[in-house]
């Protein structure tokens, strides 16, 4: 049986890895639609190679067709594709919060969503969670894919879970030096190759903070059941601690093709092009506690999760604005947490509350404006 797939964010890092799997399993999966944002060149290349039925442009509105294939636009375009009866699996690998819209539509239609986009769950967890049982939400993020596999049939036995973090390029950099690091230095991730935004989030440890929130909504775990451990080799992706003090771990080379493919083939497991783990070659796997003084954003993410309501949504939006300001060299590395903390505090002061889609969408917009005000002040 051939499964029809829509791939949103096809031109990105996860998107490109997904296309490699579709090439390998071209008789099992058919790419019927994809989205891109700005990279028209790449979109043309994908269109030529895979000949889908539709393309969605979330960036420019002008394009009507690419390589003779009709182009839809924006959030409505993503929603229309996600609702089509001839789309079986929707891979949501766009950057940013737009991912929530096709995710909700696909779940409401009882479809499988392979979800890479973490903003969807972090910002809109309270809206997405009640819809999860309507379809199938399979996580692509490597730590959550690991937990999804480790937790199967085991919910009653679980005490707590651990997400691993590489620690990023600044694990051993003293706090004083972090003040002056450049975007180029922050983009040098030691183990994973990913898009720019998530690579900066890995350097600040916010990526792990977002993942703690993601795990809370995906697996119904309380904040104090979700722990983080630094593991520089990125071989162990997650651990589940059981009630008898034994633990299960999920291991693999840091290659996103493994969790992406599992999200497509679940509950089956198919071969990949990735070699099996060579333990003697790996030698040593090490672990250490995260430094919450140095990486304040991880602590802020836990705080936002405890506060609940719109706090995770506001945290995510403020962080996104601050990360792009850092990449544009408007603010320094240590000013990213400063922006996020100020916006979280303003949320409480100004009473930005509400858990529905519209309230959260408004909180997202509000947090971005607030973050921009603070960024302008810091940049002046
Ligand atoms: P990239 O930056 O490499 O790719 C982002 C994709 O989204 C591109 O296709 C881009 O289009 C598109 N895009 C950019 N801005 C927008 C927008 N405003 N609206 C709609 N689409 C947009 O990111 P990644 O592939 O690294 O990450 C994608 C998502 O997956 C993120 O949410 C990330 O947190 C998550 N993730 C990524 C992992 C990884 O290993 N990369 C691991 C776990 C999660 P274009 O290039 O055409 O402009
Ligand atoms: Mg991850």
């Amino acid at each position: 049986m051939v499964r029809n797939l829509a791939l949103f964010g096809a031109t990105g890092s996860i998107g490109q890895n997904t296309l490699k799997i579709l090439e390998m399993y071209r008789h099992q999966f058919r790419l019927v639609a994809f989205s891109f944002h700005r990279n028209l060149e790449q979109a043309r290349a994908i269109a030529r190679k895979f000949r889908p039925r539709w393309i969605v442009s979330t960036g420019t509105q002008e394009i009507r067709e690419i390589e003779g294939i009709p182009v839809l636009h924006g959030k409505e375009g993503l929603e229309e594709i996600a609702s089509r009866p001839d789309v079986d699996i929707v891979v949501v690998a766009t950057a940013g919060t737009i991912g929530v819209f096709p995710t909700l539509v696909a779940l409401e239609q009882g479809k499988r969503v392979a979800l890479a986009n973490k903003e969807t769950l972090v910002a809109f967890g309270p809206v997405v969670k009640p819809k999860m049982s309507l379809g199938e939400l399979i996580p692509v993020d490597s730590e959550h894919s690991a937990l999804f596999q480790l937790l199967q049939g085991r919910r009653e036995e679980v005490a707590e879970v651990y997400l691993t973090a590489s620690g990023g390029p600044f694990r051993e950099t003293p706090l004083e030096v972090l003040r002056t690091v450049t975007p180029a230095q922050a983009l040098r991730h030691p183990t994973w190759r990913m898009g720019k935004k998530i690579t900066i989030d890995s350097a600040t440890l916010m990526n792990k903070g977002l993942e703690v929130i993601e795990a809370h909504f995906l697996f119904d775990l309380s904040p104090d059941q979700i722990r983080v451990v630094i593991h520089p080799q990125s071989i162990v992706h997650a651990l589940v601690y059981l009630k008898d003090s034994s633990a299960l771990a999920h291991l693999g080379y840091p290659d996103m093709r493994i969790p992406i493919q599992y999200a497509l083939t679940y509950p089956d497991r198919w071969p990949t092009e990735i070699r099996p783990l060579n333990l003697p070659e790996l030698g040593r796997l090490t672990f250490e506690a995260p430094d919450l003084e140095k990486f304040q954003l991880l602590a802020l993410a836990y705080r936002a999760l405890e506060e609940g309501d719109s706090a995770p949504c506001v945290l995510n939006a403020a962080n996104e604005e601050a990360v792009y300001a850092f990449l544009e060299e408007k603010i320094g590395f240590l000013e990213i947490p400063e922006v996020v903390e100020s916006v979280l505090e303003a949320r409480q002061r100004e009473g930005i509350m509400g858990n529905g889609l519209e309230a959260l969408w408004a909180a997202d917009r509000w947090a971005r404006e607030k973050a921009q005000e603070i960024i302008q002040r810091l940049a002046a």
Side-chain angles (χ1 to χ4, degrees):
M1 187 184 79
V2 181
R3 272 162 279 188
N4 286 342
L5 205 126
L7 171 57
F8 298 146
T11 43
S13 158
I14 295 282
Q16 293 293 305
N17 274 315
T18 309
L19 292 175
K20 284 185 202 155
I21 296 163
L22 300 192
E23 264 183 84
M24 180 166 165
Y25 286 112
R26 68 172 70 94
H27 301 299
Q28 287 78 8
F29 295 113
R30 184 187 304 130
L31 185 75
V32 293
F34 74 86
S35 89
F36 73 106
H37 197 62
R38 299 235 176 273
N39 194 341
L40 181 59
E41 203 62 32
Q42 190 73 45
R44 280 212 180 93
I46 299 169
R48 276 196 299 271
K49 190 162 192 176
F50 289 88
R51 302 299 311 165
R53 295 175 199 155
W54 311 277
I55 297 171
V56 182
S57 162
T58 48
T60 154
Q61 298 281 318
E62 274 83 70
I63 306 164
R64 298 274 157 244
E65 52 92 22
I66 292 174
E67 304 286 329
I69 299 163
V71 174
L72 289 70
H73 295 98
K75 148 183 178 290
E76 290 73 20
L78 299 180
E79 286 176 331
E80 187 179 328
I81 298 298
S83 73
R84 292 198 66 99
D86 44 356
V87 170
D88 306 313
I89 303 177
V90 179
V91 181
V92 180
T94 61
T97 36
I98 197 169
V100 69
F101 299 104
T103 299
L104 289 173
V105 169
L107 287 175
E108 278 158 8
Q109 307 263 331
K111 293 183 184 175
R112 171 170 305 189
V113 178
L115 184 65
N117 174 270
K118 35 192 108 188
E119 293 83 350
T120 290
L121 275 173
V122 173
F124 300 100
V127 181
V128 177
K129 201 174 163 191
K131 307 275 184 193
M132 273 163 49
S133 56
L134 301 177
E136 281 181 305
L137 190 74
I138 318 285
V140 166
D141 206 344
S142 55
E143 298 77 2
H144 305 79
S145 172
L147 283 181
F148 178 78
Q149 297 173 55
L150 290 168
L151 290 170
Q152 274 166 32
R154 195 161 271 125
R155 293 312 305 253
E156 298 308 309
E157 304 165 34
V158 174
E160 55 188 19
V161 305
Y162 272 84
L163 304 174
T164 61
S166 73
F170 304 135
R171 185 170 58 87
E172 292 177 313
T173 309
L175 183 60
E176 319 81 75
V177 178
L178 284 187
R179 202 165 298 284
T180 56
V181 295
T182 62
Q185 288 171 306
L187 286 171
R188 256 175 243 141
H189 196 278
T191 48
W192 292 96
R193 296 284 153 266
M194 312 178 284
K196 279 188 182 178
K197 155 73 170 50
I198 181 173
T199 304
I200 300 299
D201 285 342
S202 299
T204 63
L205 285 205
M206 178 54 123
N207 183 46
K208 219 42 58 175
L210 298 178
E211 290 182 358
V212 167
I213 300 172
E214 220 183 332
H216 164 75
F217 288 116
L218 273 172
F219 306 118
D220 216 2
L221 295 161
S222 65
D224 58 3
Q225 280 181 299
I226 311 166
R227 298 185 185 273
V228 171
V229 67
I230 304 294
H231 167 47
Q233 298 83 16
S234 302
I235 296 295
V236 177
H237 303 305
L239 301 102
V240 168
Y241 278 33
L242 303 173
K243 286 180 175 159
D244 61 0
S245 291
S246 62
L248 302 172
H250 184 276
L251 286 73
Y253 285 116
D255 190 316
M256 287 307 294
R257 284 174 297 172
I258 300 177
I260 296 169
Q261 183 173 302
Y262 187 69
L264 303 184
T265 64
Y266 167 81
D268 299 331
R269 216 180 270 277
W270 297 355
T272 65
E273 284 174 338
I274 297 123
R275 66 191 174 126
L277 280 180
N278 184 328
L279 293 176
E281 188 183 286
L282 285 170
R284 215 175 286 269
L285 298 181
T286 60
F287 301 89
E288 57 196 70
D291 181 344
L292 294 183
E293 299 279 316
K294 200 163 101 180
F295 297 109
Q296 285 177 33
L297 282 167
L298 180 56
L300 282 172
Y302 273 102
R303 195 168 110 193
L305 184 55
E306 291 285 355
E307 281 175 21
D309 199 76
S310 65
C313 174
V314 163
L315 170 99
N316 172 66
N319 177 64
E320 197 171 307
E321 296 298 315
V323 168
Y324 285 114
F326 169 70
L327 283 170
E328 290 163 20
E329 303 193 50
K330 289 184 188 158
I331 61 170
F333 188 75
L334 289 183
E335 286 170 333
I336 304 173
E338 218 176 297
V339 171
V340 174
E341 185 168 25
S342 303
V343 177
L344 274 178
E345 278 163 8
R347 180 192 86 94
Q348 290 207 315
R349 246 191 346 267
E350 297 184 27
I352 308 297
M353 302 289 163
N355 252 342
L357 184 58
E358 273 175 35
L360 290 172
W361 192 249
D364 176 279
R365 299 293 115 183
W366 170 88
R368 286 172 200 277
E369 275 176 35
K370 201 52 140 190
Q372 282 304 334
E373 277 171 33
I374 299 164
I375 289 164
Q376 304 305 335
R377 260 208 315 275
L378 289 170

